[in-house]
Amino acid sequence: AIKVAKDEINLGVSSTYETKANVETMVNSINVGGRNYVRDYMFEKQDVWQRFKTASTFIDSNNNFGRLSSESGSTWLYQIMPFETFKKGQVVTIQYEIKCENISQNTGTNSMLIRTQLTGYDNNGTHIKDVCIFGMHEKEVDNLSEWTKVTVTRTIGDVGVSTQIHLRLYARNFIGNVYFRNVKLELGNKATDLSSAPEDTISDISDAKNEAINSANNTLTTTITNYYTKAQTDSQINVAKNAITSSVSSTYETKTNV
């Protein structure tokens, strides 16, 4: 009876609790990044994301999304990632929201693709190979008519002779519009809260500083225009003095003349 009770206690404990060693193993297997390597993740600026073939109005900074428009070939938005960081064997996690609008295949020549991926290039901009494919959405466009959050963890493969790694929001051979927003790419296998890249934070601080300086300068200039310089003041006094002298001399006789 004692042994049965003991076994039941052990079974209850093992089904309810993890050993310290197991917990430490599971915790250690989580590689948390946190730093966002994507600049302008909210698509607020016109000079950060770059485009290939898609419409010139590919950034909507009022509604905070990037857009890929109809194309029979390939089109994408991209940013260049730090090559020394995004290397073979590195575990990375991406999160983003995607929405598809009136999507269909453009021609029968090539299959339609809608993907997010890391791609290797050389210094001349020649495509080398896709080194990490995240989302593959071409077969689920009907389920993406509303904003849908996607989170994917992958390990970067062989980069070959690549000297650059580009993050690409990519589509090929489609009709319609594909939208992206809230993009975060980080190291590790756990997605963390959305955050700005450090470069954006530094840039925002610099912009705010410059705006404050310009505002102060404009205020000072406006204030100064409401005052005379010493020279202008002396000139105005002389004008008034001469006017008084002229007025008196034309109205009154001097004591000597009288």
Side-chain angles (χ1 to χ4, degrees):
I2 294 175
K3 184 178 183 305
V4 171
K6 176 184 175 184
D7 291 342
E8 288 178 350
I9 291 172
N10 288 337
L11 178 61
V13 169
S14 63
S15 63
T16 305
Y17 300 95
E18 283 287 355
T19 65
K20 182 179 179 181
N22 286 346
V23 170
E24 289 177 348
T25 298
M26 288 185 287
V27 169
N28 290 334
S29 68
I30 299 175
N31 301 311
V32 180
R35 183 234 202 269
N36 192 356
Y37 283 88
V38 177
R39 292 200 57 189
D40 189 30
Y41 79 95
M42 291 180 62
F43 296 92
E44 296 178 304
K45 303 174 182 178
Q46 298 292 329
D47 59 350
V48 176
W49 287 91
Q50 300 181 67
R51 67 186 174 97
F52 179 79
K53 284 191 176 181
T54 195
S56 58
T57 55
F58 66 101
I59 299 294
D60 188 327
S61 54
N62 292 320
N63 295 299
N64 303 121
F65 59 70
R67 177 173 68 94
L68 299 176
S69 55
S70 302
E71 176 60 48
S72 58
S74 299
T75 180
W76 60 85
L77 307 181
Y78 71 97
Q79 292 188 27
I80 301 176
M81 298 291 106
F83 185 75
E84 65 281 0
T85 301
F86 289 83
K87 55 193 176 184
K88 179 180 178 181
Q90 175 64 58
V91 177
V92 291
T93 296
I94 192 171
Q95 59 178 294
Y96 55 89
E97 293 179 56
I98 182 174
K99 181 172 74 169
C100 295
E101 180 180 69
N102 302 320
I103 297 294
S104 61
Q105 185 162 314
N106 196 332
T107 70
T109 305
N110 294 312
S111 58
M112 180 177 71
L113 298 177
I114 300 174
R115 298 187 171 185
T116 50
Q117 56 198 42
L118 292 174
T119 302
Y121 289 84
D122 66 17
N123 288 332
N124 296 318
T126 302
H127 177 277
I128 301 300
K129 63 191 305 185
D130 295 328
V131 301
C132 187
I133 297 177
F134 297 113
M136 295 179 284
H137 304 294
E138 53 270 12
K139 294 182 179 180
E140 54 185 19
V141 292
D142 292 339
N143 298 322
L144 299 174
S145 58
E146 301 292 336
W147 284 111
T148 303
K149 184 175 180 179
V150 177
T151 301
V152 183
T153 297
R154 294 279 189 267
T155 300
I156 297 176
D158 180 38
V159 301
V161 296
S162 304
T163 55
Q164 296 181 1
I165 298 295
H166 294 195
L167 169 65
R168 297 199 297 168
L169 312 180
Y170 172 91
R172 182 184 78 180
N173 195 33
F174 70 105
I175 295 172
N177 292 289
V178 182
Y179 303 95
F180 294 92
R181 71 182 185 188
N182 294 335
V183 185
K184 183 172 185 178
L185 179 63
E186 56 193 312
L187 306 182
N189 60 5
K190 180 174 175 58
T192 57
D193 292 343
L194 285 170
S195 58
S196 298
E199 296 87 348
D200 285 337
T201 302
I202 293 170
S203 176
D204 290 343
I205 291 172
S206 178
D207 289 346
K209 177 182 176 182
N210 290 334
E211 288 175 6
I213 291 172
N214 290 334
S215 176
N217 287 339
N218 292 336
T219 301
L220 181 60
T221 300
T222 301
T223 302
I224 288 174
T225 58
N226 293 325
Y227 294 87
Y228 286 125
T229 64
K230 183 178 184 299
Q232 289 172 326
T233 301
D234 291 343
S235 176
Q236 292 297 319
I237 290 173
N238 288 332
V239 169
K241 175 184 175 183
N242 293 335
I244 292 170
T245 301
S246 175
S247 175
V248 169
S249 63
S250 66
T251 305
Y252 299 94
E253 284 288 354
T254 64
K255 182 178 179 182
T256 302
N257 287 343
V258 171

